[in-house]
Each structure stands twice: as structure tokens, then as C-alpha cells.
Amino acid sequence: MKEQLSDIRAQALAALEAAPDSAQLEQLRVRYLGKKGELTNLLKQMGQLPPDQRPAMGQLANEVRAALEAALERRAQALEQQALEQRLAAEAVDVTIPGKPPRLGHRHPMSIALGEIEQVFVGMGFTVLDGPEIELAQLNFDRLNAEEGHPSRDWSDTFYFDTDSRVMLRSQTSPMQVRAMDSMPLPIRIIAPGRVYRKDEVDATHSPMFHQVEGMVIDKGVTMADLKGTLNTVVEQLYGAGTRTRFRPHHFPFTEPSCEMDVQCHKCAGAGCPTCKGEGWIELLGAGMVHPRVLEMAGIDPQVYSGWAFGIGLERTAMRRFKIADLRLIFENDVRFLEQF
């Protein structure tokens, strides 16, 4: 048995030292030290030895096992170091080679349109306000003179959170006008951009989630002429001098008198097409003089102060600005489309 232990030791140490990789090293471990390995099988024969020889053979067997385990550990570390050096050599970077230029992103057409609108109004002395998208119906409707029974308050048009119709996703950014009247000193010149939500069917010009920019001016001696002049100036700043607009009488509970402002369709130049639904014009915004009752609810004397307000759809502004024929393209996140801007 002593000779067998010596032979196993010599053969195993030579084989371990020559193992080319970790897989081969594992096979050698199983061959010599596994449950059915050569050393283990030899140790099972210890019971056949005379009792006086067993201690010496046991000690020798333990020395052989320790030697093999130490050799196994050394070779494993050597192979690991070798693999690391090979990987470092393969992944070496020549820092003198010019790098790849980073691919820069760019602003979304909606962000570009909003930035241009804000720049125009800030240049006129307006303040930009931001507010919550989850709003109280009191601010979204009641304080804007839209009483119970108004069509815009119906469940088929508005996203409510409770059965009492008190908390909702705002359908307009007009509540920020109410907040401004309650908290800001007169005179007031503000715009309020942000996301709004209505139960519209998706088509080329409508979406259940879209963006608005609402504005309001309250001061002494404000007239409808100020409203029209300001909006025409804004449109020309956005779309170029000579852009054709059209004001039509309308009704909004928040304003009296009220109007809607259209711009000539950029797709067909007024001839009529699917984008403008054959009308030659695209509705851009609603506007009007702030209703005296709205001023009174904010504690502002309508005999002294007057004001005007408007709400513009940012998507439609971007469509006219960049000649986009279908609103859905704005939300589909198709890189081939967005890279054009």
C-alpha cells in the first residue's frame, strides 16, 4: 500500500501541474480525491492491513491527500491568474486611437414648441407657473364658473378619482389661473403649461392625454383688442410673419365674451385636407375676457379690473410649427420620426 500511495502521489502531482485549464483540473480532482477516486478507494482498503501498520499508513495517506489538495489549490490559482492576464491582454485599449464621438440626443418637438412659447411670453413680462395634475373639481370647474350640469363635468368627458366627482385628473391648466388670482398681487400676467386629460378618442388631432398652455392677464383697462393683439403677435413669433389667423365667436363659462382662434392649415394652405378635416383651418386655442363672476369669486372687483385668458393646445402648436400631419406621431416615440427635429 505504501508503494501505491507513492505512485498515486507522483502521478497526481505531475498531472495537476500539467493541467491546461480549470475543466481538466476539476476532472483530476474527481479522479484522485473524489468519492470514487483512486486515493479514496485505496483508503477503503485500510481495514485489510494488520493493526500495527494502520497508523503509519493512515499518516502517510493523510500526507498524500494534503499534498494533492495543496497542489490542486496552487494550480487553480495559477490558472486563474493566467486567464486574467489573457483577458487583460485581449481587452487592452490603445488610448492613442481616436475615440468614437458620442451620439448626442436632441429635444422633442413638443419641448421645442413649449420652449418657444415660454420665451415669447416671458419676453412680454409673463410668469410661468406649474401646478398639480391631480386637481379638485372646485378649482377645475366651480371657480371657473362651470356649475353642476355643465357638459365638461360629465363622467363621459372627465377622469374622476371618486364617485362624488370631487377629485380628478385636470382637464385644463385653468386651475392655475385660479391659484394665481388667489395668491399673486395685481396686476397678473401668467402662463401655465402642463399635461391635461380628457376622454377624447385618438385621431389625427385628438388624444386623451395632451398638453396645454393657458395664459391670463388681469389689470386695469384690459380689452379684447389686447387679447387679439397679443395672440397674433405670439402666432407670428412662432410661425412667421403673415401667418393667417381667424377669430370666431364661441362660449366658455370662464370668459365673456369668448372666442376661438384658428390658424390656416399648414398641410393644405386652406384648401381642405384630412389634417384639417376639410375646413382649411385648424383650431389652435380658445380665449376671451375673464368673466366678472370669476373675478368676484377671487375677490377682485370687476368694476376696477378686467382681464383676458386663453388656452392653447401644445400638440397643435407643434403640428403647425413643424408641419406634422398626424398628432399620433408625437407620442409613438419612433426614433425615425423624432430625429427629424
Side-chain angles (χ1 to χ4, degrees):
M1 179 173 287
K2 182 176 181 180
E3 293 179 358
Q4 290 176 306
L5 286 172
S6 298
D7 290 342
I8 290 176
R9 177 172 181 166
Q11 294 173 4
L13 290 176
L16 291 173
E17 187 64 28
D21 52 45
S22 298
Q24 183 66 30
L25 191 65
E26 175 64 15
Q27 292 179 5
L28 292 173
R29 184 193 69 78
V30 173
R31 174 181 172 183
Y32 291 106
L33 300 175
K35 292 183 179 180
K36 296 182 180 180
E38 294 183 15
L39 181 59
T40 305
N41 290 333
L42 186 60
L43 293 178
K44 291 179 180 179
Q45 302 175 20
M46 291 283 291
Q48 301 175 7
L49 295 175
D52 58 335
Q53 296 181 13
R54 292 176 188 174
M57 289 299 103
Q59 181 178 356
L60 180 60
N62 288 333
E63 292 175 357
V64 172
R65 176 180 290 278
L68 296 186
E69 289 177 346
L72 183 70
E73 180 66 22
R74 287 194 303 273
R75 187 55 180 165
Q77 292 178 358
L79 289 173
E80 183 178 354
Q81 181 64 28
Q82 180 181 339
L84 176 61
E85 292 174 356
Q86 291 175 350
R87 187 168 69 251
L88 291 175
E91 297 176 358
V93 177
D94 185 351
V95 296
T96 64
I97 297 176
K100 296 180 180 179
R103 184 178 179 183
L104 299 178
H106 50 81
R107 298 174 67 195
H108 192 280
M110 290 284 290
S111 297
I112 297 173
L114 176 59
E116 292 176 348
I117 291 174
E118 289 181 342
Q119 184 177 7
V120 172
F121 278 101
V122 169
M124 294 180 177
F126 283 67
T127 300
V128 181
L129 300 183
D130 187 23
E133 295 178 22
I134 298 176
E135 190 57 272
L136 298 174
Q138 179 186 10
L139 298 181
N140 196 89
F141 293 125
D142 296 335
R143 292 286 301 277
L144 297 173
N145 204 34
E147 300 177 346
E148 292 288 345
H150 192 276
S152 63
R153 302 186 68 147
D154 194 85
W155 277 78
S156 62
D157 288 342
T158 303
F159 295 98
Y160 290 103
F161 284 94
D162 59 346
T163 57
D164 295 331
S165 303
R166 293 180 300 179
V167 183
M168 56 180 289
L169 287 173
R170 65 182 180 185
S171 60
Q172 52 201 358
T173 58
S174 302
M176 289 309 300
Q177 299 178 20
V178 177
R179 295 175 187 272
M181 288 187 287
D182 287 346
S183 61
M184 296 179 67
L186 296 169
I188 297 173
R189 292 177 178 84
I190 61 101
I191 60 170
R195 280 185 294 266
V196 297
Y197 306 85
R198 297 179 189 175
K199 293 183 179 179
D200 288 332
E201 295 296 329
V202 177
D203 60 25
T205 56
H206 293 83
S207 170
M209 186 285 293
F210 57 101
H211 297 74
Q212 271 192 341
V213 179
E214 300 216 3
M216 182 180 68
V217 169
I218 297 178
D219 203 345
K220 295 178 180 178
V222 175
T223 68
M224 192 77 170
D226 299 316
L227 167 64
K228 294 182 67 176
T230 301
L231 293 181
N232 277 325
T233 299
V234 171
V235 168
E236 289 199 345
Q237 288 284 329
L238 295 176
Y239 304 138
T243 300
R244 296 189 62 185
T245 62
R246 180 178 72 176
F247 288 84
R248 294 177 287 105
H250 200 70
H251 169 72
F252 299 109
F254 178 57
T255 53
E256 180 60 38
S258 303
C259 65
E260 285 190 338
M261 179 181 177
D262 305 328
V263 292
Q264 192 174 72
C265 179
H266 58 275
K267 190 72 174 177
C268 64
C273 68
T275 299
C276 61
K277 299 181 179 179
E279 296 181 2
W281 298 86
I282 295 178
E283 176 191 339
L284 187 64
L285 58 87
M289 301 300 294
V290 179
H291 199 292
R293 176 169 168 75
V294 174
L295 295 175
E296 290 175 349
M297 284 189 285
I300 299 174
D301 188 350
Q303 300 299 320
V304 178
Y305 290 93
S306 58
W308 55 258
F310 73 90
I312 183 172
L314 187 58
E315 281 79 4
R316 295 182 183 181
T317 305
M319 290 173 68
R320 180 65 174 79
R321 166 71 172 77
F322 297 108
K323 296 179 172 55
I324 300 171
D326 195 320
L327 179 146
R328 289 166 290 196
L329 292 170
I330 295 175
F331 298 117
E332 289 177 349
N333 294 326
D334 190 327
V335 175
R336 296 170 299 177
F337 168 76
L338 297 176
E339 284 181 340
Q340 301 177 53
F341 306 100

